[in-house]
Amino acid sequence: MDHAQGEPQPPPAAIRLTGLRKRFGDTVALDGVDLAIRAGEFFTMLGPSGSGKTTMLRVIAGFEQPDAGTVELHGEDVTQRPPYLRDVNTVFQDYALFPHMDVQDNVEYGLRIRKVDRSRRRERAAAALELVGLAGLGSRKPSELSGGQRQRVALARAIVNEPSVLLLDEPLGALDLKLRQGMQVELKRIQRDVGITFVYVTHDQEEALTMSDRVAVFNRGQIEQVGSPVEIYDRPTTEFVAGFVGVSNLVSHGGQTYAIRPERVQLLDPTGVAPTSAVLSRGTVTDTVFLGVLTRYTVALDDGGSLVAVRPNLERGSLSESDLRGQAVIAAWQLDQATDIEMSADLAGEHVEESA
Amino acid sequence: MNNALWRRAWLRATLTLSPPLAWFLVVYLASLVVMLVTAFWTLNDFTNQLVQSWNLQNFRDLFSEPYPHIIGRTVGLAALVTVTDIVIALPFAYYMARVATPRTRNLLFAAVLLPLWASYLARVYAWIVILQKGGTLDWSFSKLGLGAPDIGYSNTALWIVFSYIWLPYMIIPVFGAMERIPNSLLEASADLGARGARTTWRVILPLVLPGIAAGSIFTFSLTLGDFITPVLVGGARSKFIGNVIYDNIGLAGNLPFAAALAVVPIVIMIVYLSGARLLGAFREL
Amino acid sequence: MRRFRTTGVAASALLLAVAVAACGSSSSGSSSGGGGGPSGLTAPTADLPVPTSIGTGEGQLNLIAWEGYTQPLWVKPFEQKTGCQVRAKYAGSSSEMVSLLADGGGGQYDMVSASGDADLRLIYAGDVRPINPDLVPQIKNFHSFLQAPAFNTIDGKHYGTSLQFGPNVLLYNTDDFSTAPTSWSTIYDKKYSGKISVPDNPIQIADAALYLSKTQPDLGITDPYELTQPQFDASVNLLKQQQPLVKKYWGLASQEVSLFKTGSATIGAAWPYQTSLLLDAKAPVADTIPKEGATGWADSWLMATKAPHTNCAYMWMDYITSPKAQALQATWYGETPANKLACPIMDKLVKGSCSVLHANAPQAYYDTIKFWKTPLAQCGNGQNNCVPYSKWTTAWTTITG
């Protein structure tokens, strides 16, 4: 981490990870990771399954010991400390609510251990349940709650301890889409309200882009890129990031590889006038997919290769899918809208698609 | 007909189960009822024949010495054996379920189950050899300079042997319950600040409680009903309910009193099972 | 002595053998005719006819026996001689024998090797039938008290033939007793607290009564199996005082052997063949019949009422009472044979076994043995005021519970 070089000194890191390595048998889970997470930020670790992001979270929580490297919390080396001596709390993917305790006891668990007195405990638990929108459900058993409610209890149970860092391991993974979107907004609200550092693990790039202050993209035990959602989306620095976050076309132009987002590719009538500033490629539409908000077109380029473009469906029935299929078009994009990226040899040819 | 059977699963089940069920009802329950009825009869001292007149004398006799004493000893030792097995099984099952590698776990599982393949008597006799005066235990203790404990033929011996014999029946359900606790619960507990002891007390124990209750049904009822081990390793005051029943149905021919005495463990087990059910024992069986 | 052995099962079976016998003649020395049945009891099969000669063998014989009572050693020669193939079912207790022989053996079983306890129960239940003693000529060579004993002969009708017997002796450790103890008082003596071992059997009350009959003549005990309430209470009281001194009430013969072998017990009531086993193992023990006398047990082969192979059954009685077969069984099992002529053959088989097992003892020795009978309410005192066996069981539970 070379923060000193040229850049202004960043605020003190809530978490600083240095040279972390972790193997499970033959599998390398963490392959030398350095990372600093600022206090109070909503930080997301994004990556496909097996990319090391969950291992990272477990190393921070203390459930796993790294083979090498150090974990610092607020400048203090806690690498050797057991979980119960770290000022972090975790929201587990399966919620890990204690099934034999009611919601109240679950939420008070950490306070009880800290010997917070009874009335204070009640107060804080009630406040935490209020915060997550579960006021009055304290006497329920976890088995009597819906998935979304359990998730909120798990959150309340962690937040009530007022940790300096909250770790969330794909907490919304088990919820259906509507609930998930609602919770995304709510999590962000809660994070702003309580002001503690959130470290959020997900494989869902939309979730990452929606909620985060910063995102680290994980791949094969390493961090590919760290940046704000806009940076990650608009200026992916590696082919992997370009492919994993949203959909990107990888095109060669002038001996360089560029990533260009489908929505930034225009499809033009070949008989019309083309903008001179754009990069133009002739081709034929081979496939159109109606996606509701958008329609997606696949264009086979005459020079070989293909491009994906999307257009918003601005008017009802403006473009039915049959309109363009088989038609010759010109695909046009602006160089300043594209990102030149490092081609990593082992990723070449791999085209990661995520629904946008 | 086949169609009707196919559509009515309950009918198929009923038809399949009714012969064995009828057999069970007639042979087993009827015998039980006959036995219970016998408990209200008496024995004619002169002819040694059953007198079929209803009275409660046999049950009244249960409240006079030495029977309360014998019942107390039987229940007390069954409870002690159960507690002992719980204390041993908990760390053992914890190690098996959460610490040991799969290979070690299989080995331990085999070690727990293998004795069940050996004859009950063979295992008891092995303990006689260990516990008797000058036996393996005395020898080991005197080698260590501790003096021979000489606990052969005593209630202490009975306690040790019972605890050993029924231990697998405790370990297996406790292990099952232990294995089913998601790892994340233990991590969550540690994450919220709990050390090992508190996690054990507040999370592990409550969650394996149904397994403990299930195992205790075995250890308690098997000890309660045993009458062979008291003969083989017990001392001068080691009679169990079962021994007294056996003494009375033998040549004494006092079936009514034996039947009345047999009601005692039945009642105790009904009470016990009701309690175990509340603890969720039957979910673990 | 190598052949003196037993098994736990047979031993426990013997232990469980407790007399259900009637009273009648209480004298162990009664030489003929047996005793009359107790008042109010009759044998249902008493009038069944008996054969006058043995016909052709049926080729098969089904026996209910104590384990070890049908060893190939003496069964093989019988099968070769008679062509009767022996099938034996071992019973674990007198109770089991009684239930196996329900309904006269159900046409399945021919004979049972019942002990003195079960005999009369079988006779009065009609499960066994009279035999013709003339077809078992060896009976006249039996010790006189076993020719027609009260436990298998009622009103002159024999329901089987005596087989083997043994006394309950006083076993002691010779390291602790330089001279043989002469009285049963040793097993009631505080001096030997924690070193005493007696059988776990209600009939042990008779042992106490026998002792009291000599030491407290005021009680007026004449027969240890026929006790009035005060006599019974005195006996039970003696045993209650004994209880804290007892190391172990032994249930299996092997337990008594191991108790004495390890030195856990140094004095107690036992059977002669346990002594043999201990001597075999070079344990420092000896046994004696103290001056008060001793209790004892005796087994008989009885004929099932519905025996399907009666000719083979008579051949078996004829064979098993012969001196050779008697000696083989006695030395193998460590019992005293009923047939006096077995003695020289026993010595040939195992040197000195005849005298060790008291097969040639003077009549006075046998007179000291009070054979097990089942205590009944209607006892021989004419007043029918004795304590019945079910009360013995209850009292024994009170003592040892």
Side-chain angles (χ1 to χ4, degrees):
Chain A
M1 307 296 292
D2 303 322
H3 289 287
Q5 291 183 353
E7 292 177 35
Q9 193 70 26
I15 302 172
R16 184 182 297 277
L17 309 169
T18 317
L20 284 181
R21 291 177 191 279
K22 178 74 184 172
R23 299 173 71 98
F24 296 105
D26 293 338
T27 318
V28 179
L30 294 177
D31 190 9
V33 175
D34 298 305
L35 184 64
I37 297 170
R38 296 168 199 147
E41 76 175 331
F42 195 123
F43 189 90
T44 299
M45 303 201 279
L46 174 68
S49 57
S51 60
K53 59 191 191 302
T54 295
T55 305
M56 184 84 265
L57 194 82
R58 293 173 59 77
V59 166
I60 298 171
F63 303 140
E64 306 285 358
Q65 272 291 305
D67 299 333
T70 55
V71 179
E72 285 170 49
L73 289 178
H74 299 286
E76 214 178 336
D77 185 344
V78 298
T79 316
Q80 302 303 323
R81 276 197 208 164
Y84 51 82
L85 293 179
R86 298 187 186 197
D87 186 21
V88 299
N89 283 119
T90 307
V91 176
F92 291 81
Q93 186 169 13
D94 63 355
Y95 316 141
L97 299 180
F98 304 121
H100 55 292
M101 300 179 195
D102 62 19
V103 167
Q104 185 80 26
D105 286 344
N106 262 285
V107 174
E108 286 184 17
Y109 190 85
L111 300 177
R112 209 184 279 263
I113 288 163
R114 243 150 265 170
K115 301 203 163 54
V116 176
D117 70 67
R118 194 184 146 82
S119 57
R120 184 87 191 96
R121 227 160 55 207
R122 296 268 127 169
E123 221 170 275
R124 282 173 65 174
L129 284 173
E130 175 85 48
L131 183 71
V132 298
L134 288 179
L137 293 186
S139 58
R140 297 266 186 94
K141 279 282 173 72
S143 58
E144 297 165 338
L145 299 177
S146 70
Q149 288 172 320
R150 286 181 212 186
Q151 209 283 317
R152 286 155 190 264
V153 176
L155 192 59
R157 184 178 67 176
I159 284 178
V160 77
N161 302 297
E162 295 165 2
S164 67
V165 174
L166 186 69
L167 307 173
L168 302 98
D169 185 9
E170 307 222 17
L172 308 182
L175 305 182
D176 62 47
L177 181 64
K178 267 266 154 56
L179 211 50
R180 199 158 66 219
Q181 289 173 336
M183 279 305 293
Q184 285 171 9
V185 176
E186 198 143 347
L187 271 177
K188 188 70 194 166
R189 171 186 67 79
I190 291 168
Q191 194 257 339
R192 264 190 233 110
D193 285 358
V194 296
I196 55 184
T197 314
F198 273 35
V199 179
Y200 192 97
V201 161
T202 184
H203 66 269
D204 183 331
Q205 43 113 352
E206 186 195 316
E207 218 166 83
L209 299 181
T210 315
M211 302 162 74
S212 316
D213 295 324
R214 287 199 303 153
V215 178
V217 182
F218 275 70
N219 183 40
R220 300 194 173 182
Q222 292 180 320
I223 294 177
E224 296 261 341
Q225 187 175 358
V226 182
S228 70
V230 173
E231 283 171 341
I232 295 285
Y233 189 80
D234 279 348
R235 290 193 293 281
T237 53
T238 68
E239 185 196 355
F240 176 82
V241 176
F244 189 74
V245 182
V247 178
S248 287
N249 294 298
L250 294 181
V251 285
S252 294
H253 180 73
Q256 239 318 343
T257 302
Y258 291 93
I260 178 80
R261 298 291 179 187
E263 67 271 21
R264 289 166 196 165
V265 175
Q266 271 185 294
L267 295 183
L268 306 171
D269 185 342
T271 59
V273 183
T276 49
S277 60
V279 180
L280 305 174
S281 315
R282 285 177 180 278
T284 310
V285 175
T286 55
D287 195 22
T288 67
V289 179
F290 178 63
L291 297 170
V293 181
L294 305 166
T295 300
R296 189 172 70 202
Y297 305 90
T298 308
V299 179
L301 299 177
D302 295 350
D303 306 341
S306 66
L307 271 179
V308 174
V310 294
R311 277 190 196 170
N313 295 324
L314 298 174
E315 286 169 44
R316 189 184 293 181
S318 65
L319 268 174
S320 76
E321 47 196 276
S322 59
D323 282 344
L324 285 177
R325 194 174 295 177
Q327 282 200 15
V329 291
I330 292 176
W333 52 279
Q334 307 287 335
L335 257 183
D336 62 353
Q337 295 296 317
T339 318
D340 59 336
I341 59 173
E342 326 161 352
M343 272 296 271
S344 52
D346 55 332
L347 281 175
E350 211 173 285
H351 193 82
V352 185
E353 277 202 32
E354 289 268 333
S355 64
Chain B
M1 181 63 192
N2 273 340
N3 245 337
L5 281 181
W6 179 251
R7 268 181 274 118
R8 293 186 181 78
W10 60 268
L11 190 62
R12 268 186 300 152
T14 312
L15 285 177
T16 322
L17 285 176
S18 33
L21 215 60
W23 182 88
F24 175 81
L25 279 173
V26 171
V27 174
Y28 188 74
L29 290 183
S31 322
L32 208 61
V33 168
V34 168
M35 189 200 81
L36 289 178
V37 169
T38 314
F40 294 95
W41 296 349
T42 47
L43 192 71
N44 183 310
D45 283 346
F46 281 84
T47 60
N48 220 40
Q49 300 291 311
L50 297 187
V51 181
Q52 303 182 2
S53 63
W54 298 87
N55 72 80
L56 290 169
Q57 190 52 46
N58 291 319
F59 291 99
R60 261 181 240 122
D61 288 347
L62 289 180
F63 292 96
S64 58
E65 283 304 328
Y67 304 109
H69 212 82
I70 290 169
I71 293 166
R73 172 188 304 137
T74 310
V75 174
L77 208 55
L80 188 62
V81 166
T82 299
V83 170
T84 309
D85 281 348
I86 291 171
V87 168
I88 298 172
L90 276 175
F92 193 94
Y94 179 83
Y95 182 82
M96 260 172 89
R98 314 211 70 96
V99 181
T101 61
R103 201 182 123 82
T104 316
R105 175 186 310 180
N106 288 341
L107 279 173
L108 288 174
F109 218 83
V112 170
L113 291 178
L114 266 180
L116 297 181
W117 290 74
S119 152
Y120 169 98
L121 283 180
R123 289 185 289 149
V124 175
Y125 272 103
W127 274 100
I128 294 175
V129 172
I130 294 170
L131 298 175
Q132 72 186 1
K133 191 180 169 76
T136 322
L137 186 75
D138 286 4
W139 181 83
S140 318
F141 269 67
S142 48
K143 282 281 167 198
L144 294 169
L146 295 168
D150 187 19
I151 53 169
Y153 300 122
S154 65
N155 286 341
T156 311
L158 209 49
W159 166 59
I160 293 172
V161 174
F162 271 135
S163 298
Y164 164 77
I165 297 241
W166 307 135
L167 183 59
Y169 296 95
M170 180 62 80
I171 288 180
I172 291 165
V174 171
F175 166 77
M178 197 77 85
E179 204 185 23
R180 271 197 293 279
I181 301 177
N183 209 35
S184 62
L185 289 191
L186 308 188
E187 288 179 352
S189 180
D191 187 70
L192 293 165
R195 288 160 194 266
R198 188 186 289 258
T199 299
T200 304
W201 185 248
R202 299 267 296 154
V203 180
I204 296 179
L205 265 184
L207 291 176
V208 297
L209 195 60
I212 292 172
S216 78
I217 292 175
F218 291 116
T219 56
F220 187 79
S221 69
L222 288 169
T223 310
L224 193 72
D226 201 288
F227 62 98
I228 299 172
T229 300
V231 171
L232 294 179
V233 301
R237 272 199 185 269
S238 294
K239 286 231 156 112
F240 266 38
I241 296 172
N243 298 101
V244 181
I245 294 175
Y246 189 83
D247 288 347
N248 277 285
I249 56 173
L251 285 153
N254 196 347
L255 280 180
F257 183 70
L261 201 51
V263 170
V264 174
I266 292 176
V267 169
I268 292 171
M269 277 322 291
I270 287 173
V271 171
Y272 195 93
L273 290 177
S274 316
R277 204 177 74 91
L278 289 180
L279 293 176
F282 297 110
R283 290 199 299 273
E284 296 290 329
L285 289 177
Chain C
M1 288 298 187
R2 193 181 52 79
R3 272 177 288 174
F4 284 40
R5 77 181 84 157
T6 186
T7 66
V9 175
S12 62
L14 286 171
L15 155 80
L16 292 163
V18 173
V20 170
C23 332
S25 162
S26 62
S27 159
S28 54
S30 97
S31 57
S32 65
S39 51
L41 292 177
T42 52
T45 59
D47 297 328
L48 288 182
V50 295
T52 51
S53 64
I54 304 178
T56 319
E58 294 90 348
Q60 197 178 325
L61 181 64
N62 297 338
L63 302 176
I64 299 167
W66 296 123
E67 188 166 359
Y69 271 30
T70 54
Q71 287 299 310
L73 183 63
W74 57 89
V75 166
K76 275 262 151 42
F78 168 74
E79 290 177 332
Q80 282 158 12
K81 197 173 98 181
T82 63
C84 301
Q85 296 302 308
V86 172
R87 288 189 198 163
K89 167 144 185 74
Y90 292 139
S93 68
S94 284
S95 295
E96 197 181 339
M97 284 187 168
V98 170
S99 47
L100 284 170
L101 220 67
D103 189 29
Q108 190 183 354
Y109 298 109
D110 296 303
M111 305 203 81
V112 60
S113 67
S115 297
D117 49 352
D119 292 343
L120 283 167
R121 181 192 270 197
L122 291 167
I123 291 169
Y124 286 117
D127 291 329
V128 293
R129 60 186 296 167
I131 60 149
N132 183 351
D134 298 339
L135 299 179
V136 190
Q138 288 293 343
I139 288 179
K140 66 179 182 297
N141 296 324
F142 282 7
H143 293 290
S144 55
F145 63 97
L146 290 175
Q147 289 181 5
F151 48 77
N152 64 26
T153 306
I154 311 287
D155 293 331
K157 289 196 190 294
H158 294 246
Y159 291 81
T161 165
S162 299
L163 181 63
Q164 308 259 329
F165 69 97
N168 300 314
V169 294
L170 180 61
L171 179 65
Y172 60 95
N173 184 312
T174 49
D175 290 345
D176 285 26
F177 295 86
S178 48
T179 57
T182 55
S183 168
W184 286 108
S185 64
T186 43
I187 64 168
Y188 305 109
D189 193 336
K190 283 197 175 61
K191 216 163 87 186
Y192 307 110
S193 178
K195 295 287 180 185
I196 297 165
S197 167
V198 294
D200 185 7
N201 191 330
I203 212 74
Q204 200 61 26
I205 294 170
D207 286 60
L210 180 68
Y211 172 69
L212 290 178
S213 72
K214 300 290 155 62
T215 54
Q216 293 188 33
D218 305 352
L219 288 166
I221 297 171
T222 54
D223 184 326
Y225 304 97
E226 296 177 354
L227 302 175
T228 61
Q229 196 65 48
Q231 295 168 344
F232 181 78
D233 290 345
S235 307
V236 169
N237 203 37
L238 176 63
L239 292 170
K240 278 183 177 165
Q241 288 163 18
Q242 181 198 33
Q243 194 281 333
L245 317 178
V246 173
K247 170 73 182 173
K248 167 83 178 165
Y249 293 99
W250 55 270
L252 303 175
S254 57
Q255 287 178 337
E256 182 76 332
V257 171
S258 111
L259 283 164
F260 273 81
K261 204 187 282 178
T262 60
S264 285
T266 55
I267 184 97
W271 298 327
Y273 85 91
Q274 290 168 324
T275 315
S276 305
L277 283 172
L278 284 162
L279 290 173
D280 253 5
K282 309 266 184 271
V285 299
D287 67 25
T288 180
I289 292 188
K291 61 185 183 216
E292 295 92 357
T295 58
W297 49 269
D299 294 341
S300 310
W301 279 110
L302 305 183
M303 170 92 76
T305 305
K306 295 186 177 171
H309 313 106
T310 48
N311 291 328
C312 277
Y314 272 97
M315 289 176 198
W316 173 252
M317 282 190 285
D318 183 44
Y319 171 78
I320 201 66
T321 55
S322 67
K324 179 78 190 288
Q326 286 266 297
L328 284 170
Q329 181 171 342
T331 49
W332 194 90
Y333 210 94
E335 301 170 315
T336 314
N339 195 326
K340 285 185 285 193
L341 303 183
C343 181
I345 305 173
M346 288 169 75
D347 277 338
K348 247 179 262 167
L349 291 167
V350 182
K351 198 161 179 299
S353 62
C354 176
S355 65
V356 165
L357 294 169
H358 308 285
N360 61 348
Q363 183 60 37
Y365 170 84
Y366 304 119
D367 287 344
T368 60
I369 302 172
K370 301 280 189 189
F371 284 101
W372 286 357
K373 288 188 300 195
T374 291
L376 297 179
Q378 49 279 73
C379 50
N381 65 4
Q383 292 174 39
N384 288 353
N385 60 352
C386 291
V387 178
Y389 186 70
S390 60
K391 295 280 194 293
W392 285 48
T393 308
T394 308
W396 185 249
T397 306
T398 313
I399 295 161
T400 61

